[in-house]
Amino acid sequence: MVPCADLMINGMAYVVSNTFARLEMEKYMITAMLFAGGVGSRMKSQDMPKQFLVVGGKPIIVRTMENFAKHPEVDAIVVACKADWIDYLQDLIVKFNVKKVKAVVPGGENGFNSIHNGVVATAEFQKNPEDLILICDGVRPMISQELISNCIRDTKKHGTAVPVTPSIDSLLYSEDGDFCDKSYKRSSMYVTQAPQGYTMEKILWAHEEAYKRGILSPVSSSELFIELGHPVHLFIGERQNIKVTTPEDLQTLRAYFFYKNFKQFAEEELSYEIPDYVKSADKKE
């Protein structure tokens, strides 16, 4: 892990302060930082990392990048990729003509280190502390333009923005997975999603603090902020914004694209014009 101190955070533009005044008309640079450094062990896809699995003619990572590339407010894309798959990813970027990709950097030994490498790469060209970074798994190909817009809007307003969906299942707590003596109030439980938005000032502060305190494997950026004692702003996400992690997720994704491509054959999408001769035959019966 490369410490944020190498960026001279306190010696450059990134001076952490308690004041986050913003000019609404100011133009922020916005970068989508995708991390795709995993091997997909839960996917059981053998030699192919899950982010490169093809669905509907395109790899999942390409679909995820395209969602950000076509958003008018996103200026750049940075991808932290499994090191020995960088050349393959760069070939895909050229093949599918994915726009706005500013850098592809090696991922780390876990998700947090991959994010860190992407944050460092983004900080090389986003010099304004108020610029925004949208941190997202590379395996969320169903992100909508509206969700990205909402994330940008709330990050500008609050400095942090984490999409969530209310839990629809009851949650139980267990240390060993065998017995449980604790439950949670479902109405207070939320499932986190991505992209998660942060100002550069805040994300650099969080990563610098994580390095100082030895916090090296938080599950997500929002959990890192919470562990550091910093609250994050929540906004409602979208249930269809799945993270493709398991074979079941892959089936759901493929079913979605199959339906999207062939929905004209689904009865609920059609309105039928009943011929007159059929109406007449029905009346005679």
Side-chain angles (χ1 to χ4, degrees):
M1 176 176 175
V2 181
C4 281
D6 286 354
L7 292 173
M8 299 174 59
I9 296 172
N10 294 320
M12 292 177 63
Y14 301 105
V15 179
V16 179
S17 68
N18 292 323
T19 303
F20 296 98
R22 294 175 175 82
L23 296 175
E24 287 300 322
M25 299 304 294
E26 181 181 352
K27 168 60 180 170
Y28 302 94
M29 185 170 187
I30 301 172
T31 294
M33 192 266 115
L34 310 184
F35 56 102
V39 296
S41 58
R42 286 172 289 183
M43 182 61 74
K44 302 176 183 177
S45 54
Q46 299 179 344
D47 297 330
M48 178 71 74
K50 62 186 177 183
Q51 56 268 30
F52 295 110
L53 295 175
V54 175
V55 175
K58 290 182 181 179
I60 292 172
I61 182 65
V62 170
R63 291 190 177 278
T64 306
M65 288 189 294
E66 286 180 335
N67 288 332
F68 288 99
K70 68 185 180 182
H71 195 282
E73 292 187 81
V74 174
D75 300 296
I77 298 171
V78 171
V79 185
C81 177
K82 196 172 185 300
D84 49 354
W85 286 81
I86 287 179
D87 289 343
Y88 183 69
L89 176 58
Q90 290 175 329
D91 288 342
L92 291 176
I93 292 169
V94 173
K95 178 181 178 180
F96 291 96
N97 194 27
V98 182
K99 304 296 186 182
K100 301 183 182 179
V101 179
K102 182 83 171 180
V104 178
V105 299
E109 61 188 24
N110 58 30
F112 175 66
N113 287 338
S114 293
I115 293 172
H116 181 81
N117 292 350
V119 169
V120 169
T122 303
E124 291 297 325
F125 61 88
Q126 286 203 163
K127 302 297 185 181
N128 185 340
E130 302 300 312
D131 286 340
L132 309 186
I133 184 169
L134 310 181
I135 299 174
C136 188
D137 322 84
V139 288
R140 288 189 182 269
M142 294 171 66
I143 296 172
S144 73
Q145 297 296 285
E146 182 179 7
L147 181 60
I148 296 172
S149 294
N150 290 344
C151 187
I152 292 171
R153 178 201 64 207
D154 282 22
T155 306
K156 287 180 179 179
K157 184 176 181 180
H158 301 282
T160 65
V162 178
V164 297
T165 56
S167 177
I168 58 176
D169 296 311
S170 298
L171 300 177
L172 302 179
Y173 178 83
S174 174
E175 289 283 354
D176 59 11
D178 268 339
F179 296 94
C180 171
D181 61 1
K182 183 178 181 180
S183 64
Y184 292 96
K185 186 178 179 181
R186 186 176 63 182
S187 60
S188 299
M189 297 295 105
Y190 297 87
V191 179
T192 58
Q193 295 187 330
Q196 299 183 7
Y198 304 95
T199 62
M200 290 301 295
E201 182 174 39
K202 288 200 171 190
I203 197 66
L204 287 167
W205 167 80
H207 279 248
E208 183 180 32
E209 285 298 305
Y211 177 74
K212 288 178 179 177
R213 303 187 198 183
I215 304 173
L216 304 179
S217 58
V219 175
S220 69
S221 297
S222 58
E223 292 192 27
L224 170 60
F225 274 83
I226 292 168
E227 190 168 352
L228 292 171
H230 192 301
V232 294
H233 171 71
L234 307 182
F235 70 97
I236 298 300
E238 299 171 341
R239 293 198 184 280
Q240 70 269 24
N241 176 26
I242 64 171
K243 177 184 176 184
V244 184
T245 305
T246 67
E248 292 78 15
D249 297 330
L250 189 60
Q251 290 175 1
T252 299
L253 180 63
R254 285 183 168 145
Y256 168 80
F257 280 105
F258 179 86
Y259 175 75
K260 184 179 179 181
N261 290 331
F262 297 99
K263 66 181 180 180
Q264 64 267 31
F265 300 111
E267 289 185 0
E268 63 268 27
E269 295 292 331
L270 296 176
S271 59
Y272 292 101
E273 182 70 27
I274 301 177
D276 290 338
Y277 70 85
V278 174
K279 295 178 181 177
S280 300
D282 289 339
K283 288 179 180 180
K284 289 179 181 178
E285 293 179 358

